[in-house]
Amino acid sequence: YLGILAAFTAMLPAVAGAAVANTVTDPTEYFLTCLHLLVNVGMACKDLFGATKAVATARAMAERVVGLLDALEGSTAPAAVAATGDYTAAVQLASLAVGAPGAAPLLSNLNLFLAHGDRLLVRGPNGAGKSSLLRTLTGIWPPAAGQALISVPTDQVLVLPQRAYMPLDATLKEALLYPDTKADASWSTSDETLSEALAWAGLEQLVPAGCTPSAAPLSAGLSGGEQQRLAAARLYLHKPQLALLDEPTANCEPSFASLLFGLCKERGTTLITISHELRLADLHTHELVLDGEGSYKLHGLQ
């Protein structure tokens, strides 16, 4: 815009001459009108370019979804998650191989037994299969081979992705109780309990003075750390038997990680945590280290 202004300043004599020729009585007003129109054109072009980028992004996302659906439709792999009658195990993986549908497995022959209350930390380099394992356990991808057996009821499993979902135009109550809706029993949760969860997560400042979580709007400007804290507050409220966590405290200070995993230990929540943070090892009972070449090492921590 400074360039536009400089160009118009240089053209001022010509503009003034044109104004006189067109019987415009005030050359300055004519100049400012032209400048205003040109700025509006520039802003419109900027919006147009932005919309073009958004459309391209949406198209790329749609193509990925279509590709995934096509791959799943042609897959003959067994169901990703099956119930098991062995209720001594919260999670049991038998000769499991994981990877994108139709692609070579990133991790093979994984055998794992997690009792109720065990807390597993999964580490490894990028591309080793950590996210693929999580997608398989959540049923997004089928296993390339083997089975994932989970004895915990589906409504007692909570997934916290690395980028916490924040509903649009929602109240704090709707954000805290997600993925539950008004049709679920949890919707009767009192404002007192919701405020307790916010205070536990260090987010009480999100409720304006004189307001309640049921009426307070969810701020669109939450930082990455605040979003992860709010997602952790969902775990506080839902009290799941099994939680699948992907970098749940990457944007939070170490003290909050101790608070979150301390709560899970106190409640006996079974955990599978994906993280690059070595300091989280002390907060888990087992560690699964992927080497990035399809193999792994599993050992106890406590």
Side-chain angles (χ1 to χ4, degrees):
Y1 293 127
L2 290 176
I4 294 174
L5 182 59
F8 258 92
T9 302
M11 294 170 58
L12 182 58
V15 172
V20 172
N22 287 277
T23 66
V24 176
T25 57
D26 189 347
T28 301
E29 180 181 357
Y30 185 74
F31 164 75
L32 292 176
T33 299
C34 291
L35 177 61
H36 179 69
L37 290 174
L38 189 57
V39 169
N40 285 343
V41 170
M43 294 180 66
C45 290
K46 178 183 177 182
D47 292 341
L48 179 61
F49 291 141
T52 302
K53 182 179 179 181
V55 170
T57 301
R59 178 180 177 180
M61 294 173 65
E63 289 176 347
R64 291 184 63 185
V65 171
V66 171
L68 175 60
L69 293 176
D70 289 343
L72 291 175
E73 184 177 354
S75 174
T76 57
V81 177
T84 173
D86 183 2
Y87 287 94
T88 60
V91 178
Q92 185 172 359
L93 310 180
S95 301
L96 184 68
V98 299
L106 296 174
L107 176 64
S108 301
N109 198 33
L110 176 58
N111 293 284
L112 173 68
F113 181 101
L114 287 182
H116 292 276
D118 282 348
R119 302 183 303 281
L120 174 70
L121 176 64
V122 183
R123 296 194 299 107
N126 292 334
K130 302 186 301 297
S131 296
S132 296
L133 175 60
L134 193 65
R135 289 172 184 144
T136 299
L137 293 175
T138 56
I140 297 176
W141 287 356
Q147 285 186 307
L149 307 173
I150 295 179
S151 67
V152 177
T154 303
D155 61 356
Q156 288 297 314
V157 179
L158 182 67
V159 181
L160 297 186
Q162 184 172 358
R163 294 181 60 183
Y165 174 72
M166 296 291 130
L168 299 175
D169 299 323
T171 63
L172 270 175
K173 178 176 182 177
E174 290 171 316
L176 285 167
L177 294 180
Y178 179 85
D180 288 357
T181 64
K182 295 179 180 179
D184 296 294
S186 66
W187 203 256
S188 61
T189 302
S190 67
D191 279 315
E192 181 180 359
T193 301
L194 296 176
S195 297
E196 180 183 288
L198 288 170
W200 172 84
L203 296 174
E204 57 267 49
Q205 73 279 4
L206 297 184
V207 183
C211 198
T212 64
S214 294
L218 173 65
S219 172
L222 296 183
S223 67
E226 288 174 326
Q227 291 182 29
Q228 288 195 320
R229 284 173 172 269
L230 194 148
R234 293 170 181 164
L235 186 148
Y236 180 95
L237 289 167
H238 288 298
K239 301 179 181 178
Q241 294 180 27
L242 171 64
L244 307 176
L245 314 178
D246 188 0
E247 299 286 1
T249 58
N251 297 314
C252 302
E253 58 275 14
S255 60
F256 186 72
S258 299
L259 181 68
L260 172 61
F261 292 107
L263 175 72
C264 294
K265 178 180 179 180
E266 178 183 332
R267 290 179 172 177
T269 307
T270 305
L271 290 181
I272 297 180
T273 305
I274 292 176
S275 179
H276 288 94
E277 299 181 80
L278 293 175
R279 59 187 173 87
L280 297 186
D282 293 337
L283 304 173
H284 290 75
T285 60
H286 299 78
E287 185 177 47
L288 176 66
V289 182
L290 312 183
D291 64 5
E293 298 179 358
S295 299
Y296 65 91
K297 290 183 179 180
L298 176 66
H299 54 88
L301 297 172
Q302 297 181 12

